Amino acid sequence: MEYLYKNVSIYADSKMNLIIIPTGRSEKWGGALDLDLPIRLDFPYNDDDLENEIYYAFEQCFSLIPDENAKETVLEKALNIKGYSKAARDRRFISAFWNVDEGYIVTPTQKVPRQGYCHLTEKAFELGSNPKKREIATAIRAAISISTY
């Protein structure tokens, strides 16, 4: 089945280690839900490594039916930490999105107390349908530096 959009969640710690999580469609919750297919990318890595893992994560979107009744988030499971707020503490969040009309968009976030991660859409990197080599990696690195935790 062809999908008109795909979304990948990226969590970066202070050492630039990444957890990249593809999403799937949740009928129960009516939107995207993280798939239990986390990809770890430990620093140091180069732009080619980063871009390869991001493209792989996009390929994994919708490859499974998400566990809509999971007691833990994918991030909690990946880090073996109980509680999403503890797992996300000291991590920046970046959204990598693709859709058939606009192409790739990388959006930084700002962590706001009692609200969570808020997308900084005015600072999003709109890369189009055919980004140049390493353009997605460059946008992700820039989004990480803009994002706050």
Side-chain angles (χ1 to χ4, degrees):
M1 179 176 196
E2 282 296 311
Y3 289 92
L4 301 177
Y5 71 95
K6 295 179 181 182
N7 194 66
V8 172
S9 300
I10 305 165
Y11 294 90
D13 68 15
S14 61
K15 296 177 182 172
M16 292 293 286
N17 298 311
L18 305 180
I19 296 178
I20 304 164
I21 305 171
T23 58
R25 173 101 175 112
S26 170
E27 295 301 324
K28 180 178 181 179
W29 303 109
L33 193 62
D34 288 347
L35 296 179
D36 198 358
L37 297 170
I39 301 163
R40 290 175 99 83
L41 187 59
D42 292 328
F43 192 81
Y45 47 84
N46 62 37
D47 286 350
D48 290 333
D49 295 334
L50 174 55
E51 216 156 79
N52 288 338
E53 295 298 346
I54 294 299
Y55 281 125
Y56 178 72
F58 274 116
E59 289 173 19
Q60 295 303 305
C61 288
F62 303 105
S63 64
L64 297 175
I65 297 170
D67 182 357
E68 297 172 315
N69 299 311
K71 302 283 187 223
E72 294 178 308
T73 65
V74 174
L75 183 63
E76 289 173 80
K77 289 180 195 175
L79 296 171
N80 198 26
I81 296 174
K82 297 276 187 212
Y84 176 78
S85 60
K86 285 183 184 177
R89 184 175 294 135
D90 299 328
R91 291 185 192 279
R92 297 167 194 223
F93 174 76
I94 296 86
S95 171
F97 180 79
W98 170 87
N99 75 29
V100 70
D101 295 324
E102 299 170 290
Y104 294 91
I105 301 170
V106 176
T107 307
T109 65
Q110 176 181 16
K111 199 168 192 185
V112 178
R114 292 187 279 285
Q115 290 182 30
Y117 294 105
C118 297
H119 286 72
L120 301 172
T121 53
E122 70 282 357
K123 295 183 180 182
F125 297 87
E126 297 178 8
L127 307 174
S129 296
N130 296 304
K132 295 176 185 153
K133 188 170 181 152
R134 298 186 186 99
E135 196 172 9
I136 289 177
T138 300
I140 289 170
R141 288 181 189 274
I144 290 170
S145 70
I146 293 169
S147 296
T148 63
Y149 54 86

